[in-house]
Amino acid sequence: MRLTQITPFVPCTNLAAQTGFYRDVLGFTLGFEADNYAFLRRDDVAVRLVEVSAGVDLKDPAREGSFYIDVQGIDALYADMKPMLDRLPAGRVRAPFNQDYGQREFHVADEDCTLVFFGEGINSNG
């Protein structure tokens, strides 16, 4: 037996805006969409967006969520995304940097402040 993938459910307040962000900024492809749900994939990574009730404040720090995507070629991925990332408001992107725990990462906050971490082991870099 072996686990093969984790696909997070990411709550959002506006499914169309969030789907556009993951598609147009992060490069995911829309695989399926329904009234309050969308499934997107990029390579072997997928996310499931679920629209929540209108009264839910996902920008409240107490509701903050995040997930980590392990990648190969972190700097090339950042360079590929950079033209779209540069269009985001200030404070939503943290450029690649090395962590003390041996990962090179960059971070992006989505439309509802879910923090998406992209990371690669430093020894993995070309």
Side-chain angles (χ1 to χ4, degrees):
M1 285 189 292
R2 140 184 191 315
L3 302 178
T4 61
Q5 180 178 324
I6 186 169
T7 307
F9 280 90
V10 179
C12 63
T13 56
N14 181 319
L15 186 63
Q18 194 74 300
T19 299
F21 173 81
Y22 279 85
R23 183 190 60 230
D24 302 336
V25 177
L26 300 185
F28 282 71
T29 301
L30 181 63
F32 176 80
E33 187 172 13
D35 292 338
N36 69 337
Y37 171 83
F39 177 85
L40 296 100
R41 175 177 292 285
R42 180 168 178 170
D43 301 322
D44 294 330
V45 174
V47 295
R48 300 170 189 273
L49 304 177
V50 180
E51 194 169 52
V52 297
S53 301
V56 176
D57 180 7
L58 293 176
K59 295 183 183 193
D60 177 349
R63 295 191 59 93
E64 183 178 292
S66 62
F67 60 95
Y68 198 100
I69 299 173
D70 293 288
V71 305
Q72 294 177 341
I74 188 87
D75 292 308
L77 178 63
Y78 182 76
D80 181 64
M81 290 182 180
K82 190 169 183 341
M84 296 304 293
L85 295 174
D86 286 347
R87 297 179 181 183
L88 296 175
R92 293 219 6 221
V93 178
R94 185 170 183 192
F97 65 102
N98 293 342
Q99 293 278 24
D100 292 341
Y101 48 82
Q103 291 288 104
R104 182 159 177 78
E105 300 176 351
F106 69 89
H107 307 156
V108 183
D110 74 12
E111 296 297 298
D112 285 304
C113 298
T114 296
L115 191 56
V116 183
F117 293 82
F118 294 89
E120 176 178 36
I122 291 173
N123 293 332
S124 301
N125 290 334

PDB file of all heavy atoms in Angstrom, residues 58-96:
ATOM      1  N   LEU A  58     -13.353  34.630   5.158  1.00  0.00           N
ATOM      2  CA  LEU A  58     -12.141  33.817   5.034  1.00  0.00           C
ATOM      3  C   LEU A  58     -10.870  34.636   5.208  1.00  0.00           C
ATOM      4  O   LEU A  58      -9.781  34.089   5.290  1.00  0.00           O
ATOM      5  CB  LEU A  58     -12.125  33.107   3.680  1.00  0.00           C
ATOM      6  CG  LEU A  58     -13.205  32.050   3.500  1.00  0.00           C
ATOM      7  CD1 LEU A  58     -13.160  31.482   2.083  1.00  0.00           C
ATOM      8  CD2 LEU A  58     -13.068  30.937   4.525  1.00  0.00           C
ATOM      9  N   LYS A  59     -10.986  35.952   5.282  1.00  0.00           N
ATOM     10  CA  LYS A  59      -9.811  36.794   5.496  1.00  0.00           C
ATOM     11  C   LYS A  59      -9.538  37.020   6.979  1.00  0.00           C
ATOM     12  O   LYS A  59      -8.546  37.623   7.345  1.00  0.00           O
ATOM     13  CB  LYS A  59      -9.977  38.112   4.745  1.00  0.00           C
ATOM     14  CG  LYS A  59     -10.011  37.845   3.252  1.00  0.00           C
ATOM     15  CD  LYS A  59     -10.101  39.077   2.424  1.00  0.00           C
ATOM     16  CE  LYS A  59     -10.210  38.594   0.985  1.00  0.00           C
ATOM     17  NZ  LYS A  59     -10.039  39.480  -0.035  1.00  0.00           N
ATOM     18  N   ASP A  60     -10.410  36.492   7.842  1.00  0.00           N
ATOM     19  CA  ASP A  60     -10.211  36.544   9.285  1.00  0.00           C
ATOM     20  C   ASP A  60      -9.002  35.663   9.620  1.00  0.00           C
ATOM     21  O   ASP A  60      -8.986  34.485   9.269  1.00  0.00           O
ATOM     22  CB  ASP A  60     -11.464  36.022   9.987  1.00  0.00           C
ATOM     23  CG  ASP A  60     -11.333  35.959  11.495  1.00  0.00           C
ATOM     24  OD1 ASP A  60     -10.215  36.123  12.036  1.00  0.00           O
ATOM     25  OD2 ASP A  60     -12.361  35.723  12.147  1.00  0.00           O
ATOM     26  N   PRO A  61      -7.974  36.201  10.268  1.00  0.00           N
ATOM     27  CA  PRO A  61      -6.778  35.407  10.573  1.00  0.00           C
ATOM     28  C   PRO A  61      -7.082  34.110  11.324  1.00  0.00           C
ATOM     29  O   PRO A  61      -6.333  33.137  11.189  1.00  0.00           O
ATOM     30  CB  PRO A  61      -5.927  36.352  11.428  1.00  0.00           C
ATOM     31  CG  PRO A  61      -6.377  37.719  11.032  1.00  0.00           C
ATOM     32  CD  PRO A  61      -7.844  37.587  10.709  1.00  0.00           C
ATOM     33  N   ALA A  62      -8.156  34.058  12.048  1.00  0.00           N
ATOM     34  CA  ALA A  62      -8.503  32.832  12.772  1.00  0.00           C
ATOM     35  C   ALA A  62      -8.900  31.707  11.808  1.00  0.00           C
ATOM     36  O   ALA A  62      -8.874  30.539  12.171  1.00  0.00           O
ATOM     37  CB  ALA A  62      -9.645  33.102  13.750  1.00  0.00           C
ATOM     38  N   ARG A  63      -9.258  32.048  10.586  1.00  0.00           N
ATOM     39  CA  ARG A  63      -9.662  31.048   9.596  1.00  0.00           C
ATOM     40  C   ARG A  63      -8.568  30.781   8.572  1.00  0.00           C
ATOM     41  O   ARG A  63      -8.784  30.068   7.596  1.00  0.00           O
ATOM     42  CB  ARG A  63     -10.920  31.516   8.874  1.00  0.00           C
ATOM     43  CG  ARG A  63     -12.126  31.621   9.790  1.00  0.00           C
ATOM     44  CD  ARG A  63     -13.375  31.825   8.974  1.00  0.00           C
ATOM     45  NE  ARG A  63     -13.592  30.731   8.047  1.00  0.00           N
ATOM     46  CZ  ARG A  63     -14.333  29.662   8.291  1.00  0.00           C
ATOM     47  NH1 ARG A  63     -14.924  29.524   9.449  1.00  0.00           N
ATOM     48  NH2 ARG A  63     -14.495  28.726   7.388  1.00  0.00           N
ATOM     49  N   GLU A  64      -7.394  31.381   8.770  1.00  0.00           N
ATOM     50  CA  GLU A  64      -6.326  31.268   7.780  1.00  0.00           C
ATOM     51  C   GLU A  64      -5.978  29.817   7.498  1.00  0.00           C
ATOM     52  O   GLU A  64      -5.849  29.010   8.403  1.00  0.00           O
ATOM     53  CB  GLU A  64      -5.078  32.004   8.267  1.00  0.00           C
ATOM     54  CG  GLU A  64      -3.949  31.999   7.267  1.00  0.00           C
ATOM     55  CD  GLU A  64      -2.766  32.787   7.770  1.00  0.00           C
ATOM     56  OE1 GLU A  64      -2.889  34.019   7.885  1.00  0.00           O
ATOM     57  OE2 GLU A  64      -1.729  32.158   8.066  1.00  0.00           O
ATOM     58  N   GLY A  65      -5.815  29.517   6.222  1.00  0.00           N
ATOM     59  CA  GLY A  65      -5.419  28.176   5.812  1.00  0.00           C
ATOM     60  C   GLY A  65      -4.182  28.246   4.940  1.00  0.00           C
ATOM     61  O   GLY A  65      -3.802  29.317   4.447  1.00  0.00           O
ATOM     62  N   SER A  66      -3.552  27.108   4.746  1.00  0.00           N
ATOM     63  CA  SER A  66      -2.383  27.040   3.876  1.00  0.00           C
ATOM     64  C   SER A  66      -2.174  25.602   3.431  1.00  0.00           C
ATOM     65  O   SER A  66      -2.704  24.672   4.030  1.00  0.00           O
ATOM     66  CB  SER A  66      -1.132  27.553   4.600  1.00  0.00           C
ATOM     67  OG  SER A  66      -0.843  26.749   5.717  1.00  0.00           O
ATOM     68  N   PHE A  67      -1.417  25.443   2.364  1.00  0.00           N
ATOM     69  CA  PHE A  67      -0.973  24.121   1.945  1.00  0.00           C
ATOM     70  C   PHE A  67       0.351  24.257   1.211  1.00  0.00           C
ATOM     71  O   PHE A  67       0.715  25.336   0.758  1.00  0.00           O
ATOM     72  CB  PHE A  67      -2.031  23.365   1.132  1.00  0.00           C
ATOM     73  CG  PHE A  67      -2.474  24.033  -0.135  1.00  0.00           C
ATOM     74  CD1 PHE A  67      -1.895  23.706  -1.350  1.00  0.00           C
ATOM     75  CD2 PHE A  67      -3.508  24.962  -0.122  1.00  0.00           C
ATOM     76  CE1 PHE A  67      -2.316  24.304  -2.522  1.00  0.00           C
ATOM     77  CE2 PHE A  67      -3.944  25.560  -1.293  1.00  0.00           C
ATOM     78  CZ  PHE A  67      -3.344  25.239  -2.494  1.00  0.00           C
ATOM     79  N   TYR A  68       1.074  23.150   1.129  1.00  0.00           N
ATOM     80  CA  TYR A  68       2.445  23.137   0.610  1.00  0.00           C
ATOM     81  C   TYR A  68       2.495  22.259  -0.627  1.00  0.00           C
ATOM     82  O   TYR A  68       2.012  21.130  -0.607  1.00  0.00           O
ATOM     83  CB  TYR A  68       3.368  22.570   1.687  1.00  0.00           C
ATOM     84  CG  TYR A  68       4.833  22.878   1.495  1.00  0.00           C
ATOM     85  CD1 TYR A  68       5.437  23.902   2.208  1.00  0.00           C
ATOM     86  CD2 TYR A  68       5.615  22.147   0.613  1.00  0.00           C
ATOM     87  CE1 TYR A  68       6.787  24.188   2.053  1.00  0.00           C
ATOM     88  CE2 TYR A  68       6.962  22.425   0.450  1.00  0.00           C
ATOM     89  CZ  TYR A  68       7.540  23.443   1.170  1.00  0.00           C
ATOM     90  OH  TYR A  68       8.877  23.731   1.025  1.00  0.00           O
ATOM     91  N   ILE A  69       3.083  22.782  -1.703  1.00  0.00           N
ATOM     92  CA  ILE A  69       3.252  22.019  -2.936  1.00  0.00           C
ATOM     93  C   ILE A  69       4.747  21.802  -3.151  1.00  0.00           C
ATOM     94  O   ILE A  69       5.510  22.759  -3.310  1.00  0.00           O
ATOM     95  CB  ILE A  69       2.652  22.766  -4.143  1.00  0.00           C
ATOM     96  CG1 ILE A  69       1.144  22.982  -3.938  1.00  0.00           C
ATOM     97  CG2 ILE A  69       2.935  22.010  -5.436  1.00  0.00           C
ATOM     98  CD1 ILE A  69       0.499  23.854  -5.002  1.00  0.00           C
ATOM     99  N   ASP A  70       5.172  20.536  -3.114  1.00  0.00           N
ATOM    100  CA  ASP A  70       6.563  20.204  -3.398  1.00  0.00           C
ATOM    101  C   ASP A  70       6.764  20.233  -4.909  1.00  0.00           C
ATOM    102  O   ASP A  70       5.929  19.722  -5.657  1.00  0.00           O
ATOM    103  CB  ASP A  70       6.898  18.809  -2.853  1.00  0.00           C
ATOM    104  CG  ASP A  70       6.868  18.781  -1.342  1.00  0.00           C
ATOM    105  OD1 ASP A  70       7.788  19.349  -0.734  1.00  0.00           O
ATOM    106  OD2 ASP A  70       5.922  18.205  -0.776  1.00  0.00           O
ATOM    107  N   VAL A  71       7.849  20.862  -5.346  1.00  0.00           N
ATOM    108  CA  VAL A  71       8.089  21.030  -6.774  1.00  0.00           C
ATOM    109  C   VAL A  71       9.512  20.634  -7.128  1.00  0.00           C
ATOM    110  O   VAL A  71      10.367  20.484  -6.250  1.00  0.00           O
ATOM    111  CB  VAL A  71       7.821  22.487  -7.224  1.00  0.00           C
ATOM    112  CG1 VAL A  71       6.429  22.932  -6.834  1.00  0.00           C
ATOM    113  CG2 VAL A  71       8.851  23.446  -6.674  1.00  0.00           C
ATOM    114  N   GLN A  72       9.762  20.493  -8.409  1.00  0.00           N
ATOM    115  CA  GLN A  72      11.106  20.354  -8.950  1.00  0.00           C
ATOM    116  C   GLN A  72      11.325  21.559  -9.848  1.00  0.00           C
ATOM    117  O   GLN A  72      10.483  21.860 -10.686  1.00  0.00           O
ATOM    118  CB  GLN A  72      11.245  19.060  -9.742  1.00  0.00           C
ATOM    119  CG  GLN A  72      11.122  17.830  -8.886  1.00  0.00           C
ATOM    120  CD  GLN A  72      11.184  16.547  -9.699  1.00  0.00           C
ATOM    121  OE1 GLN A  72      10.982  16.548 -10.905  1.00  0.00           O
ATOM    122  NE2 GLN A  72      11.468  15.450  -9.024  1.00  0.00           N
ATOM    123  N   GLY A  73      12.423  22.250  -9.662  1.00  0.00           N
ATOM    124  CA  GLY A  73      12.713  23.431 -10.469  1.00  0.00           C
ATOM    125  C   GLY A  73      12.027  24.674  -9.936  1.00  0.00           C
ATOM    126  O   GLY A  73      11.375  25.398 -10.672  1.00  0.00           O
ATOM    127  N   ILE A  74      12.201  24.946  -8.657  1.00  0.00           N
ATOM    128  CA  ILE A  74      11.504  26.048  -7.982  1.00  0.00           C
ATOM    129  C   ILE A  74      11.760  27.403  -8.643  1.00  0.00           C
ATOM    130  O   ILE A  74      10.836  28.186  -8.841  1.00  0.00           O
ATOM    131  CB  ILE A  74      11.861  26.085  -6.474  1.00  0.00           C
ATOM    132  CG1 ILE A  74      10.992  27.099  -5.723  1.00  0.00           C
ATOM    133  CG2 ILE A  74      13.322  26.389  -6.223  1.00  0.00           C
ATOM    134  CD1 ILE A  74       9.708  26.545  -5.247  1.00  0.00           C
ATOM    135  N   ASP A  75      12.995  27.683  -9.006  1.00  0.00           N
ATOM    136  CA  ASP A  75      13.300  28.985  -9.600  1.00  0.00           C
ATOM    137  C   ASP A  75      12.702  29.114 -11.001  1.00  0.00           C
ATOM    138  O   ASP A  75      12.216  30.193 -11.380  1.00  0.00           O
ATOM    139  CB  ASP A  75      14.802  29.256  -9.595  1.00  0.00           C
ATOM    140  CG  ASP A  75      15.326  29.436  -8.177  1.00  0.00           C
ATOM    141  OD1 ASP A  75      14.773  30.259  -7.415  1.00  0.00           O
ATOM    142  OD2 ASP A  75      16.289  28.736  -7.815  1.00  0.00           O
ATOM    143  N   ALA A  76      12.709  28.039 -11.760  1.00  0.00           N
ATOM    144  CA  ALA A  76      12.090  28.064 -13.090  1.00  0.00           C
ATOM    145  C   ALA A  76      10.573  28.235 -12.971  1.00  0.00           C
ATOM    146  O   ALA A  76       9.963  28.974 -13.758  1.00  0.00           O
ATOM    147  CB  ALA A  76      12.426  26.787 -13.855  1.00  0.00           C
ATOM    148  N   LEU A  77       9.962  27.579 -11.986  1.00  0.00           N
ATOM    149  CA  LEU A  77       8.519  27.726 -11.776  1.00  0.00           C
ATOM    150  C   LEU A  77       8.183  29.163 -11.408  1.00  0.00           C
ATOM    151  O   LEU A  77       7.239  29.753 -11.952  1.00  0.00           O
ATOM    152  CB  LEU A  77       8.034  26.779 -10.677  1.00  0.00           C
ATOM    153  CG  LEU A  77       6.552  26.887 -10.329  1.00  0.00           C
ATOM    154  CD1 LEU A  77       5.679  26.503 -11.521  1.00  0.00           C
ATOM    155  CD2 LEU A  77       6.236  26.023  -9.120  1.00  0.00           C
ATOM    156  N   TYR A  78       8.963  29.744 -10.506  1.00  0.00           N
ATOM    157  CA  TYR A  78       8.723  31.134 -10.117  1.00  0.00           C
ATOM    158  C   TYR A  78       8.875  32.057 -11.327  1.00  0.00           C
ATOM    159  O   TYR A  78       8.047  32.951 -11.543  1.00  0.00           O
ATOM    160  CB  TYR A  78       9.671  31.546  -8.989  1.00  0.00           C
ATOM    161  CG  TYR A  78       9.430  32.956  -8.522  1.00  0.00           C
ATOM    162  CD1 TYR A  78       8.345  33.255  -7.711  1.00  0.00           C
ATOM    163  CD2 TYR A  78      10.273  33.989  -8.907  1.00  0.00           C
ATOM    164  CE1 TYR A  78       8.104  34.560  -7.290  1.00  0.00           C
ATOM    165  CE2 TYR A  78      10.042  35.292  -8.485  1.00  0.00           C
ATOM    166  CZ  TYR A  78       8.955  35.567  -7.676  1.00  0.00           C
ATOM    167  OH  TYR A  78       8.721  36.861  -7.270  1.00  0.00           O
ATOM    168  N   ALA A  79       9.902  31.845 -12.122  1.00  0.00           N
ATOM    169  CA  ALA A  79      10.110  32.681 -13.316  1.00  0.00           C
ATOM    170  C   ALA A  79       8.939  32.547 -14.281  1.00  0.00           C
ATOM    171  O   ALA A  79       8.504  33.539 -14.877  1.00  0.00           O
ATOM    172  CB  ALA A  79      11.427  32.298 -13.999  1.00  0.00           C
ATOM    173  N   ASP A  80       8.403  31.344 -14.407  1.00  0.00           N
ATOM    174  CA  ASP A  80       7.254  31.110 -15.280  1.00  0.00           C
ATOM    175  C   ASP A  80       6.015  31.852 -14.779  1.00  0.00           C
ATOM    176  O   ASP A  80       5.261  32.421 -15.564  1.00  0.00           O
ATOM    177  CB  ASP A  80       6.977  29.600 -15.363  1.00  0.00           C
ATOM    178  CG  ASP A  80       5.816  29.280 -16.266  1.00  0.00           C
ATOM    179  OD1 ASP A  80       5.911  29.542 -17.486  1.00  0.00           O
ATOM    180  OD2 ASP A  80       4.791  28.764 -15.754  1.00  0.00           O
ATOM    181  N   MET A  81       5.806  31.860 -13.479  1.00  0.00           N
ATOM    182  CA  MET A  81       4.626  32.501 -12.885  1.00  0.00           C
ATOM    183  C   MET A  81       4.799  34.008 -12.694  1.00  0.00           C
ATOM    184  O   MET A  81       3.827  34.734 -12.546  1.00  0.00           O
ATOM    185  CB  MET A  81       4.326  31.889 -11.512  1.00  0.00           C
ATOM    186  CG  MET A  81       3.815  30.496 -11.529  1.00  0.00           C
ATOM    187  SD  MET A  81       3.476  30.018  -9.804  1.00  0.00           S
ATOM    188  CE  MET A  81       2.894  28.368 -10.029  1.00  0.00           C
ATOM    189  N   LYS A  82       6.033  34.481 -12.669  1.00  0.00           N
ATOM    190  CA  LYS A  82       6.320  35.863 -12.273  1.00  0.00           C
ATOM    191  C   LYS A  82       5.532  36.934 -13.028  1.00  0.00           C
ATOM    192  O   LYS A  82       5.035  37.879 -12.396  1.00  0.00           O
ATOM    193  CB  LYS A  82       7.813  36.143 -12.348  1.00  0.00           C
ATOM    194  CG  LYS A  82       8.190  37.484 -11.702  1.00  0.00           C
ATOM    195  CD  LYS A  82       9.665  37.614 -11.542  1.00  0.00           C
ATOM    196  CE  LYS A  82      10.122  38.863 -10.845  1.00  0.00           C
ATOM    197  NZ  LYS A  82       9.250  39.988 -10.751  1.00  0.00           N
ATOM    198  N   PRO A  83       5.359  36.849 -14.337  1.00  0.00           N
ATOM    199  CA  PRO A  83       4.579  37.905 -14.995  1.00  0.00           C
ATOM    200  C   PRO A  83       3.169  38.065 -14.411  1.00  0.00           C
ATOM    201  O   PRO A  83       2.686  39.193 -14.258  1.00  0.00           O
ATOM    202  CB  PRO A  83       4.527  37.456 -16.459  1.00  0.00           C
ATOM    203  CG  PRO A  83       5.755  36.622 -16.635  1.00  0.00           C
ATOM    204  CD  PRO A  83       5.916  35.907 -15.309  1.00  0.00           C
ATOM    205  N   MET A  84       2.528  36.968 -14.047  1.00  0.00           N
ATOM    206  CA  MET A  84       1.193  37.048 -13.448  1.00  0.00           C
ATOM    207  C   MET A  84       1.272  37.411 -11.966  1.00  0.00           C
ATOM    208  O   MET A  84       0.435  38.159 -11.464  1.00  0.00           O
ATOM    209  CB  MET A  84       0.436  35.733 -13.643  1.00  0.00           C
ATOM    210  CG  MET A  84       0.155  35.422 -15.104  1.00  0.00           C
ATOM    211  SD  MET A  84      -0.743  36.743 -15.981  1.00  0.00           S
ATOM    212  CE  MET A  84      -2.311  36.703 -15.167  1.00  0.00           C
ATOM    213  N   LEU A  85       2.274  36.903 -11.271  1.00  0.00           N
ATOM    214  CA  LEU A  85       2.434  37.238  -9.856  1.00  0.00           C
ATOM    215  C   LEU A  85       2.688  38.728  -9.675  1.00  0.00           C
ATOM    216  O   LEU A  85       2.221  39.330  -8.700  1.00  0.00           O
ATOM    217  CB  LEU A  85       3.582  36.432  -9.232  1.00  0.00           C
ATOM    218  CG  LEU A  85       3.398  34.918  -9.171  1.00  0.00           C
ATOM    219  CD1 LEU A  85       4.673  34.257  -8.655  1.00  0.00           C
ATOM    220  CD2 LEU A  85       2.201  34.539  -8.315  1.00  0.00           C
ATOM    221  N   ASP A  86       3.406  39.339 -10.613  1.00  0.00           N
ATOM    222  CA  ASP A  86       3.701  40.773 -10.529  1.00  0.00           C
ATOM    223  C   ASP A  86       2.442  41.633 -10.609  1.00  0.00           C
ATOM    224  O   ASP A  86       2.463  42.793 -10.205  1.00  0.00           O
ATOM    225  CB  ASP A  86       4.671  41.189 -11.634  1.00  0.00           C
ATOM    226  CG  ASP A  86       6.090  40.732 -11.377  1.00  0.00           C
ATOM    227  OD1 ASP A  86       6.400  40.315 -10.240  1.00  0.00           O
ATOM    228  OD2 ASP A  86       6.904  40.780 -12.328  1.00  0.00           O
ATOM    229  N   ARG A  87       1.361  41.087 -11.100  1.00  0.00           N
ATOM    230  CA  ARG A  87       0.099  41.825 -11.202  1.00  0.00           C
ATOM    231  C   ARG A  87      -0.706  41.816  -9.906  1.00  0.00           C
ATOM    232  O   ARG A  87      -1.684  42.550  -9.780  1.00  0.00           O
ATOM    233  CB  ARG A  87      -0.763  41.245 -12.317  1.00  0.00           C
ATOM    234  CG  ARG A  87      -0.142  41.377 -13.686  1.00  0.00           C
ATOM    235  CD  ARG A  87      -1.024  40.769 -14.733  1.00  0.00           C
ATOM    236  NE  ARG A  87      -0.408  40.878 -16.046  1.00  0.00           N
ATOM    237  CZ  ARG A  87      -0.989  40.487 -17.158  1.00  0.00           C
ATOM    238  NH1 ARG A  87      -2.201  39.968 -17.125  1.00  0.00           N
ATOM    239  NH2 ARG A  87      -0.371  40.605 -18.303  1.00  0.00           N
ATOM    240  N   LEU A  88      -0.314  40.966  -8.968  1.00  0.00           N
ATOM    241  CA  LEU A  88      -1.042  40.870  -7.699  1.00  0.00           C
ATOM    242  C   LEU A  88      -0.721  42.066  -6.808  1.00  0.00           C
ATOM    243  O   LEU A  88       0.377  42.636  -6.899  1.00  0.00           O
ATOM    244  CB  LEU A  88      -0.686  39.571  -6.980  1.00  0.00           C
ATOM    245  CG  LEU A  88      -1.078  38.282  -7.696  1.00  0.00           C
ATOM    246  CD1 LEU A  88      -0.550  37.079  -6.922  1.00  0.00           C
ATOM    247  CD2 LEU A  88      -2.587  38.195  -7.878  1.00  0.00           C
ATOM    248  N   PRO A  89      -1.633  42.426  -5.919  1.00  0.00           N
ATOM    249  CA  PRO A  89      -1.355  43.524  -4.983  1.00  0.00           C
ATOM    250  C   PRO A  89      -0.142  43.215  -4.103  1.00  0.00           C
ATOM    251  O   PRO A  89       0.171  42.054  -3.820  1.00  0.00           O
ATOM    252  CB  PRO A  89      -2.630  43.595  -4.128  1.00  0.00           C
ATOM    253  CG  PRO A  89      -3.692  42.957  -4.960  1.00  0.00           C
ATOM    254  CD  PRO A  89      -2.995  41.892  -5.770  1.00  0.00           C
ATOM    255  N   ALA A  90       0.519  44.266  -3.665  1.00  0.00           N
ATOM    256  CA  ALA A  90       1.686  44.125  -2.786  1.00  0.00           C
ATOM    257  C   ALA A  90       1.329  43.284  -1.566  1.00  0.00           C
ATOM    258  O   ALA A  90       0.227  43.367  -1.041  1.00  0.00           O
ATOM    259  CB  ALA A  90       2.175  45.501  -2.348  1.00  0.00           C
ATOM    260  N   GLY A  91       2.275  42.461  -1.148  1.00  0.00           N
ATOM    261  CA  GLY A  91       2.087  41.660   0.047  1.00  0.00           C
ATOM    262  C   GLY A  91       1.514  40.272  -0.211  1.00  0.00           C
ATOM    263  O   GLY A  91       1.421  39.469   0.711  1.00  0.00           O
ATOM    264  N   ARG A  92       1.161  39.943  -1.446  1.00  0.00           N
ATOM    265  CA  ARG A  92       0.565  38.633  -1.726  1.00  0.00           C
ATOM    266  C   ARG A  92       1.581  37.604  -2.197  1.00  0.00           C
ATOM    267  O   ARG A  92       1.252  36.421  -2.276  1.00  0.00           O
ATOM    268  CB  ARG A  92      -0.548  38.763  -2.764  1.00  0.00           C
ATOM    269  CG  ARG A  92      -1.718  39.547  -2.230  1.00  0.00           C
ATOM    270  CD  ARG A  92      -3.084  39.123  -2.583  1.00  0.00           C
ATOM    271  NE  ARG A  92      -3.343  37.938  -3.311  1.00  0.00           N
ATOM    272  CZ  ARG A  92      -4.257  37.868  -4.279  1.00  0.00           C
ATOM    273  NH1 ARG A  92      -4.955  38.937  -4.633  1.00  0.00           N
ATOM    274  NH2 ARG A  92      -4.490  36.725  -4.879  1.00  0.00           N
ATOM    275  N   VAL A  93       2.808  38.037  -2.480  1.00  0.00           N
ATOM    276  CA  VAL A  93       3.825  37.123  -2.996  1.00  0.00           C
ATOM    277  C   VAL A  93       5.121  37.327  -2.221  1.00  0.00           C
ATOM    278  O   VAL A  93       5.534  38.452  -1.963  1.00  0.00           O
ATOM    279  CB  VAL A  93       4.102  37.382  -4.497  1.00  0.00           C
ATOM    280  CG1 VAL A  93       5.201  36.461  -5.011  1.00  0.00           C
ATOM    281  CG2 VAL A  93       2.828  37.224  -5.314  1.00  0.00           C
ATOM    282  N   ARG A  94       5.736  36.235  -1.856  1.00  0.00           N
ATOM    283  CA  ARG A  94       7.083  36.277  -1.279  1.00  0.00           C
ATOM    284  C   ARG A  94       7.988  35.529  -2.247  1.00  0.00           C
ATOM    285  O   ARG A  94       7.777  34.341  -2.519  1.00  0.00           O
ATOM    286  CB  ARG A  94       7.096  35.623   0.100  1.00  0.00           C
ATOM    287  CG  ARG A  94       8.439  35.756   0.786  1.00  0.00           C
ATOM    288  CD  ARG A  94       8.381  35.326   2.228  1.00  0.00           C
ATOM    289  NE  ARG A  94       9.670  35.529   2.855  1.00  0.00           N
ATOM    290  CZ  ARG A  94      10.004  35.041   4.022  1.00  0.00           C
ATOM    291  NH1 ARG A  94       9.113  34.346   4.721  1.00  0.00           N
ATOM    292  NH2 ARG A  94      11.192  35.259   4.527  1.00  0.00           N
ATOM    293  N   ALA A  95       8.957  36.218  -2.801  1.00  0.00           N
ATOM    294  CA  ALA A  95       9.869  35.660  -3.806  1.00  0.00           C
ATOM    295  C   ALA A  95      10.684  34.496  -3.222  1.00  0.00           C
ATOM    296  O   ALA A  95      10.786  34.353  -1.996  1.00  0.00           O
ATOM    297  CB  ALA A  95      10.799  36.759  -4.311  1.00  0.00           C
ATOM    298  N   PRO A  96      11.284  33.670  -4.075  1.00  0.00           N
ATOM    299  CA  PRO A  96      12.051  32.519  -3.587  1.00  0.00           C
ATOM    300  C   PRO A  96      13.136  32.910  -2.585  1.00  0.00           C
ATOM    301  O   PRO A  96      13.819  33.927  -2.749  1.00  0.00           O
ATOM    302  CB  PRO A  96      12.677  31.951  -4.866  1.00  0.00           C
ATOM    303  CG  PRO A  96      11.739  32.345  -5.946  1.00  0.00           C
ATOM    304  CD  PRO A  96      11.253  33.717  -5.540  1.00  0.00           C
TER     305      PRO A  96
END
